[in-house]
Amino acid sequence: MKETTEYGRAALVSTRIYGHRPVPARMSGTVLYSDQLYWRHRGPRRYFWLVEEDLQLIYEPFGWRDEWYVDVVSFERSEHDGSPLFTVHDRYLDFVVEGMGPTYRALDLDEAGEALLDGMLTPADLARALSAAQRFVDSYLHRGATFPPPPVKELFSPDHRYPDWAEDPVAVYSSPAPD
């Protein structure tokens, strides 16, 4: 991965999809992104994280057509081998945004409640996630707001021909992971 391009500087991201191992990403302003080849998607996908807004976005995941999957997340920032590392934690609140908005569905609200009751989320974690969810809806989906979020637009391509695509994208699995 090139250290710096016009589209950002090198970083690392860690999520449960990667077994929490750090994988290459780029930071452009407040947008963290990583180019992915993942067996569940039809072709290349770019994952976006709005670090200051506690959001993860992906367009047309899992073979879906013309929809975004948006996860409310939180980030733990650290350093790994001299690079900034962003560890992503799912906060159980999700949205599906149709096309470029504003139509959306909220998902997994019950999972957030169960995570609170099971001790997987603290009340403070859930309060932060609910606030992030409300800011997302208010900022990007209500009253003529722009979607996808403006910081993502210059890095996005609806046909998945992303600008400055990684020379060596992250390949999570070439086929379903064994049980």
Side-chain angles (χ1 to χ4, degrees):
M1 175 178 266
K2 295 179 269 181
E3 187 61 33
T4 302
T5 72
E6 67 179 291
Y7 292 100
R9 64 188 185 285
L12 297 166
V13 65
S14 171
T15 75
R16 62 188 163 102
I17 288 177
Y18 320 125
H20 289 287
R21 68 180 168 88
V23 299
R26 293 214 159 279
M27 190 77 188
S28 179
T30 60
V31 178
L32 179 69
Y33 67 95
S34 182
D35 297 335
Q36 307 285 317
L37 299 174
Y38 181 43
W39 70 271
R40 292 185 71 190
H41 306 315
R42 290 187 185 145
R45 295 293 181 270
R46 180 168 278 175
Y47 284 66
F48 300 96
W49 295 275
L50 297 177
V51 175
E52 300 299 319
E53 299 180 53
D54 290 338
L55 299 171
Q56 173 182 287
L57 301 90
I58 183 169
Y59 183 64
E60 296 187 334
F62 325 123
W64 296 0
R65 300 297 301 159
D66 200 32
E67 293 185 322
W68 289 82
Y69 198 86
V70 180
D71 293 283
V72 176
V73 298
S74 67
F75 297 91
E76 184 180 325
R77 298 175 195 189
S78 60
E79 195 169 297
H80 180 79
D81 292 335
S83 294
L85 170 63
F86 296 84
T87 301
V88 181
H89 301 283
D90 187 4
R91 293 302 180 219
Y92 304 96
L93 302 172
D94 305 313
F95 296 91
V96 174
V97 178
E98 295 178 13
M100 300 303 149
T103 305
Y104 67 93
R105 303 182 300 281
L107 306 174
D108 301 335
L109 302 177
D110 58 334
E111 289 182 17
E114 289 171 19
L116 177 65
L117 292 175
D118 292 344
M120 302 295 290
L121 286 178
T122 67
D125 291 336
L126 184 55
R128 179 177 172 175
L130 289 168
S131 293
Q134 189 64 55
R135 278 191 315 274
F136 166 68
V137 169
D138 289 345
S139 297
Y140 302 117
L141 298 172
H142 283 180
R143 297 181 180 92
T146 300
F147 197 87
V152 167
K153 279 192 175 200
E154 74 178 50
L155 304 168
F156 171 67
S157 175
D159 64 1
H160 306 290
R161 294 182 182 155
Y162 306 101
D164 199 38
W165 178 257
E167 292 175 14
D168 189 19
V170 176
V172 180
Y173 303 111
S174 57
S175 62
D179 290 341

